[in-house]
Amino acid sequence: WQVRFLDTASSQMFFRGTLIANLRFGNMIEHEETEIIELCRLMGVSQKILGRSGMQTQVMLNGSNLSTTDKVLLTVVRALLSSVDLLLLSNLLDIVGEEKAINVLNVLKTFVNHRRVDCLTKENASRGRFRKRKTVVVSTKLAPLEQACSMKLHLGEVEVDETAGKKEDIKN
């Protein structure tokens, strides 16, 4: 299983080099540049990044020349390019704004429902109909994002039952 845990710290993990080199880093499948650009567009990466020099945009260490929103979106793009099976997003989408976050959730819903991202045809061809199930877990503090999720888990106050596991319980 390919697992990725993404939080605000992971969105800072960019090295000095081209955008395409950063996005392809650590991926086993060499996706076509056109596929990567389409995925970036689907995710809502700014036209400032995609239009300028495209995938040849020079990225500074820790993505210091990228906006916070673009860093977050590109971090999710990199995870999807790696054919991740379990994607954990820890409050990552809370910082990109409601509209962009809902857009990302819609892309992730398609990813889970279809077991792939449609624009990544090279991966789809290599995996055929035997793609593994995909799972995305999103933690958020924002109500609109929570409402957009298909399954919600709320943890309330935990009460300790001090009588549980006593010898009287075991006998009964």
Side-chain angles (χ1 to χ4, degrees):
W1 270 56
Q2 295 279 341
V3 178
R4 295 286 183 275
F5 175 78
L6 305 179
D7 61 0
T8 53
S10 64
S11 71
Q12 305 298 319
M13 296 182 152
F14 289 91
F15 57 85
R16 202 175 304 230
T18 63
L19 180 57
I20 194 144
N22 272 275
L23 293 176
R24 284 181 172 161
F25 182 74
N27 294 332
M28 297 168 59
I29 298 173
E30 187 81 13
H31 295 284
E32 299 294 328
E33 189 170 325
T34 55
E35 294 177 338
I36 297 171
I37 291 169
E38 182 59 27
L39 180 55
C40 288
R41 282 197 179 109
L42 283 173
M43 295 296 287
V45 173
S46 72
Q47 194 56 37
K48 179 181 173 188
I49 298 296
L50 296 177
R52 223 177 17 206
S53 302
M55 292 291 115
Q56 299 309 314
T57 298
Q58 288 296 314
V59 176
M60 303 307 291
L61 185 62
N62 296 327
S64 61
N65 61 326
L66 302 173
S67 71
T68 301
T69 298
D70 281 333
K71 284 192 270 190
V72 167
L73 297 175
L74 292 168
T75 300
V76 177
V77 166
R78 187 180 342 186
L80 293 176
L81 289 172
S82 71
S83 189
V84 66
D85 300 308
L86 174 59
L87 181 59
L88 306 166
L89 302 172
S90 176
N91 297 326
L92 185 66
L93 299 179
D94 292 0
I95 60 177
V96 300
E98 184 179 328
E99 186 178 324
K100 292 247 186 216
I102 297 294
N103 181 60
V104 171
L105 286 179
N106 287 331
V107 172
L108 294 175
K109 281 181 182 181
T110 301
F111 172 68
V112 169
N113 291 334
H114 297 253
R115 299 183 186 184
R116 61 181 160 67
V117 179
D118 289 334
C119 64
L120 300 180
T121 56
K122 185 174 269 192
E123 176 192 10
N124 296 340
S126 68
R127 306 254 179 199
R129 61 187 180 96
F130 301 106
R131 289 183 287 276
K132 289 190 232 173
R133 293 194 183 277
K134 307 294 185 179
T135 303
V136 176
V137 178
V138 177
S139 69
T140 182
K141 295 176 183 164
L142 299 179
L145 295 184
E146 184 181 327
Q147 291 170 356
C149 294
S150 58
M151 186 181 104
K152 299 169 191 96
L153 175 65
H154 297 277
L155 300 177
E157 293 296 318
V158 178
E159 295 180 23
V160 178
D161 182 0
E162 295 182 18
T163 63
K166 302 260 177 173
K167 289 184 181 181
E168 302 86 50
D169 292 339
I170 296 172
K171 289 179 186 176
N172 296 331

